[in-house]
Amino acid sequence: MHSDPIADLFARINNGLRARHMTVDCPMSKIKLEVLKILQAEGFITGYDVITETKFPVVRVNLRYDHRRKPIIHTLKRVSKPGLRVYKASDELRPMRSGLATRIMTTSLGVMTDREARKRRVGGEVIGEVW
């Protein structure tokens, strides 16, 4: 049993990108689906499929590469960990890497990007950063 399923998802995606795999499988959960929905909307992955053929559902993540077979995701890291939670208020959220990086946050209004959290003026826990 993993104590941090989000870190497990990020590690599987990072390992799949390093090995140049086209897809990566990981156990399904609602929070992982919300994170993957954001990664797809921001253009970091091409998509994901939920596979329910086995006893435990699995999410198959379709990774994205450029025309030279280099990964679109340069860095995908976990910010808030089980041992040290990181919270940011809406006025503390500044654009990262000239607006090219995206923070994934969980707020009282659901899982969203830092841009959307600034627009809605809500803060929350920073799950991870991707660029």
Side-chain angles (χ1 to χ4, degrees), residues 78-128:
R78 182 82 157 114
V79 175
S80 185
K81 299 176 172 79
L84 179 64
R85 299 292 183 183
V86 177
Y87 297 94
K88 297 277 186 181
S90 63
D91 57 344
E92 294 175 345
L93 295 172
R94 304 278 183 255
M96 293 175 35
R97 298 195 172 256
S98 302
L100 297 177
T102 301
R103 283 189 197 96
I104 301 171
M105 301 181 62
T106 179
T107 66
S108 59
L109 301 177
V111 180
M112 62 182 69
T113 64
D114 59 336
R115 283 188 292 280
E116 190 174 347
R118 277 194 306 270
K119 193 182 303 180
R120 293 185 179 192
R121 303 211 30 90
V122 294
E125 181 181 354
V126 181
I127 294 176

Side-chain angles (χ1 to χ4, degrees), residues 43 45 50 62 91:
I45 61 173
V50 178
N62 302 317
D91 57 344

